[in-house]
Amino acid sequence: MLVILNLSGVRSLVPYLLIGVGIWYGVLLSSVHATLAGVAVALTIPLRTGEGQPPLKRLEHALQPWSSFLIVPAFGFANAGIAFGGMVAADVISPLPVGIMLGLFLGKQIGIFATIRGLVTFRLAEAPRNASWTQVYGMAVLCGIGFTMSLFIGGLAFAGAPHAMDAVKVGVFAGSILSGIAGWLILRRTAQ
């Protein structure tokens, strides 16, 4: 799928974006955590003006495809830092990466789908409107995609064990890829 950035509705936001880039650069030089730069940039964009759709909403919609399909996946892969060089099959199929992969792929889909289905069955929640159970299941499968938090938890669990951390990264990578492909296939089938 080709994603094209449509900036026609956000041209008036250019000054705010330039201010945001300046803030981002200043934060980078100051050694303050980059998350604060994102918050500072967001604070420079006006929530309301007297005209049409709010500027922040226009910017959000213009950047959403780039963020979803390029920036977030690139960040996930870069943050994973998996070194495939020197890796053998035994490293990939050892218990730690396989367990993490299965936890992301099977554990998440079973837990999320069963919880939603149970809440609806026991009338503690309403079924999602305009969505079939197959679509709900497809979304539950997609929830197995998890780089940042999975790597964070793995880093805490195996602090000081770099070889184990490499196995964690392989498991997270494999589980996320498997979840993404399977979820996409399920949802693609329901859309036809």
Side-chain angles (χ1 to χ4, degrees), residues 100-123:
I100 291 170
M101 179 196 68
L102 292 175
L104 285 173
F105 180 65
L106 292 177
K108 284 226 180 166
Q109 65 176 277
I110 291 168
I112 291 169
F113 185 75
T115 299
I116 294 170
R117 191 68 187 222
L119 289 171
V120 170
T121 299
F122 292 113
R123 298 176 190 232

Side-chain angles (χ1 to χ4, degrees), residues 86 92 124 128 132-133:
V92 177
L124 297 171
S132 68
W133 282 111

Side-chain angles (χ1 to χ4, degrees), residues 9 16 93 112 119 161 168 171 179 191:
Y16 301 105
I93 60 171
I112 291 169
L119 289 171
V168 167
S179 296

Side-chain angles (χ1 to χ4, degrees), residues 12-168:
S12 63
L13 296 176
V14 170
Y16 301 105
L17 292 175
L18 292 175
I19 291 168
V21 169
I23 290 173
W24 188 277
Y25 183 69
V27 170
L28 178 68
L29 295 178
S30 71
S31 300
V32 175
H33 197 278
T35 304
L36 296 177
V39 172
V41 169
L43 291 174
T44 66
I45 302 171
L47 294 174
R48 292 183 194 89
T49 61
E51 57 195 56
Q53 191 178 31
L56 189 59
K57 207 51 136 168
R58 286 195 316 260
L59 181 62
E60 176 186 351
H61 286 287
L63 294 178
Q64 190 275 331
W66 288 94
S67 176
S68 295
F69 298 114
L70 179 67
I71 296 168
V72 171
F75 172 78
F77 286 120
N79 195 29
I82 300 173
F84 290 106
M87 193 174 291
V88 295
D91 294 332
V92 177
I93 60 171
S94 66
L96 183 57
V98 169
I100 291 170
M101 179 196 68
L102 292 175
L104 285 173
F105 180 65
L106 292 177
K108 284 226 180 166
Q109 65 176 277
I110 291 168
I112 291 169
F113 185 75
T115 299
I116 294 170
R117 191 68 187 222
L119 289 171
V120 170
T121 299
F122 292 113
R123 298 176 190 232
L124 297 171
E126 292 182 20
R129 293 187 185 141
N130 303 321
S132 68
W133 282 111
T134 304
Q135 290 170 324
V136 173
Y137 176 66
M139 291 305 296
V141 172
L142 285 177
C143 289
I145 300 172
F147 277 99
T148 307
M149 191 54 69
S150 299
L151 293 173
F152 175 71
I153 292 170
L156 293 176
F158 298 102
H163 183 68
M165 198 56 208
D166 286 344
V168 167

